[in-house]
Amino acid sequence: MNSTSSTTCTNRPPQHCRALAPLLVLFIVLLLAACTSDTDPEAATITEPVYGVDEDGIHSLGSDRCLSCHEEPGKVEDTEPAATYLASRHAIPGSVGADADPACLACHDPIGDGINLGPWFTDHQQPPAGMTAVGCENCHGTGAHHLTMIPAHPNPVPDYHACGQCHKALPDDHDEFIGSYGDEIYETYLDSAHAGWSYGEGPCLRCHSDEGYRVYYEETEGLDAKELTDYFSDEPAIEDPSHIQCR
C-alpha cells in the first residue's frame, strides 16, 4: 500500500481536518454552557448539597439564594413575602448564635443557613458567632426542587404540619423565654376546634377556613352578622377549603 494514501486525521491531518478542529472546540464550549445555564445564574453555580438534602435527595440552597430572586421586582411578581419574612421572628437575629447546642439549632437554624442572612440585618445586634434563622426552605421545601419546577413550588403555602416541626412540646428550660402557653402548642392545636371542626359546605367557609380567611379577612374585619351576610351574598364558594391554620 502506498504510504501517502494511508494518511488519516490521526497522522498529520490534512487541511480539512485541521479546519474542523476550531469548530469542534466551539461546539464543546456551547454544549457545556447549555448544560450549566439556568434561569437563576447564582443558583446554577451550586453543585454541592451544602445544607443537606430532603427525603427525595433534593438539596437546599440557603435563604440568601431565595432572597436573591424574591426581593427583586424584575424577577418575581410579588416581593411582599420576602419583606414579610425578613420582618418576622423567623429571620430577625435573636440570642441563639451559630455556635449553640445542636439540639437548639435543630429548630433555631434547621439547615445552618442563618449565618448567611447577616448582611440583611446590619442594623441589628447579632450573636458573636453569627446569627441563626429559620430559613425559607424549612417551611417551603428545598430550593433546588423549586428551581426544577418553575413556576411551581414544592410547598407554596405551608400548613400546620410545617409549623409543628418546631412548635410542639418544648424542653422545660424554655418556659422562661416563651411562657407556659408555648409548650405543646402543636398538640393543643390538633385537639382544638380549629383543626377538627368542619362547617361542611356553604357561606360559613368563607370565614371558617384557611383559604376564606386569607381571601376575605382584610375586607370584612369589623362587619356585623347582617353586613357579613350582605357582603358574601354574591361571593363565590371556597373551593377545596382546609381547616383554620396556625396563621
Side-chain angles (χ1 to χ4, degrees):
M1 181 182 293
N2 190 322
S3 61
T4 59
S5 65
S6 63
T7 300
T8 66
C9 288
T10 59
N11 183 16
R12 295 192 65 189
Q15 184 67 31
H16 72 278
C17 291
R18 292 196 299 271
L20 288 175
L23 295 177
L24 179 61
V25 171
L26 178 61
F27 173 76
I28 293 174
V29 170
L30 293 175
L31 180 63
L32 290 174
C35 291
T36 57
S37 65
D38 200 294
T39 54
D40 180 2
E42 293 183 10
T45 63
I46 299 176
T47 58
E48 297 295 330
V50 179
Y51 302 113
V53 298
D54 64 12
E55 62 274 10
D56 297 321
I58 308 298
H59 64 263
S60 298
L61 307 179
S63 297
D64 55 327
R65 297 286 183 174
C66 302
L67 293 171
S68 70
C69 276
H70 285 275
E71 274 195 312
E72 297 294 331
K75 293 183 178 181
V76 295
E77 294 182 4
D78 185 9
T79 59
E80 182 61 27
T84 300
Y85 167 70
L86 290 172
S88 74
R89 293 301 302 171
H90 282 161
I92 293 174
S95 59
V96 178
D99 59 347
D101 188 297
C104 301
L105 295 177
C107 275
H108 285 276
D109 198 6
I111 67 172
D113 63 332
I115 197 168
N116 294 332
L117 294 182
W120 277 266
F121 297 98
T122 55
D123 295 335
H124 291 72
Q125 182 177 355
Q126 300 183 24
M131 64 174 282
T132 58
V134 180
C136 311
E137 293 164 288
N138 301 126
C139 296
H140 290 287
T142 52
H145 198 176
H146 175 33
L147 288 178
T148 60
M149 297 171 63
I150 290 175
H153 195 292
N155 194 7
V157 185
D159 63 9
Y160 61 90
H161 294 293
C163 304
Q165 295 177 96
C166 288
H167 293 278
K168 52 189 177 183
L170 300 171
D172 293 339
D173 60 4
H174 277 57
D175 286 350
E176 63 179 295
F177 301 109
I178 62 171
S180 59
Y181 78 91
D183 192 25
E184 298 184 358
I185 191 169
Y186 175 61
E187 294 84 348
T188 302
Y189 165 76
L190 291 178
D191 289 336
S192 73
H194 282 162
W197 182 256
S198 173
Y199 279 83
E201 300 178 355
C204 297
L205 288 173
R206 295 178 181 126
C207 284
H208 293 277
S209 69
D210 180 56
E211 292 75 15
Y213 169 82
R214 289 189 282 113
V215 171
Y216 295 114
Y217 170 72
E218 291 186 357
E219 299 178 26
T220 61
E221 183 181 14
L223 299 184
D224 61 26
K226 183 180 183 307
E227 291 169 334
L228 284 172
T229 301
D230 293 341
Y231 180 89
F232 286 121
S233 61
D234 296 324
E235 292 295 315
I238 298 293
E239 296 183 6
D240 299 322
S242 60
H243 293 300
I244 297 172
Q245 303 288 332
C246 305
R247 55 182 160 267

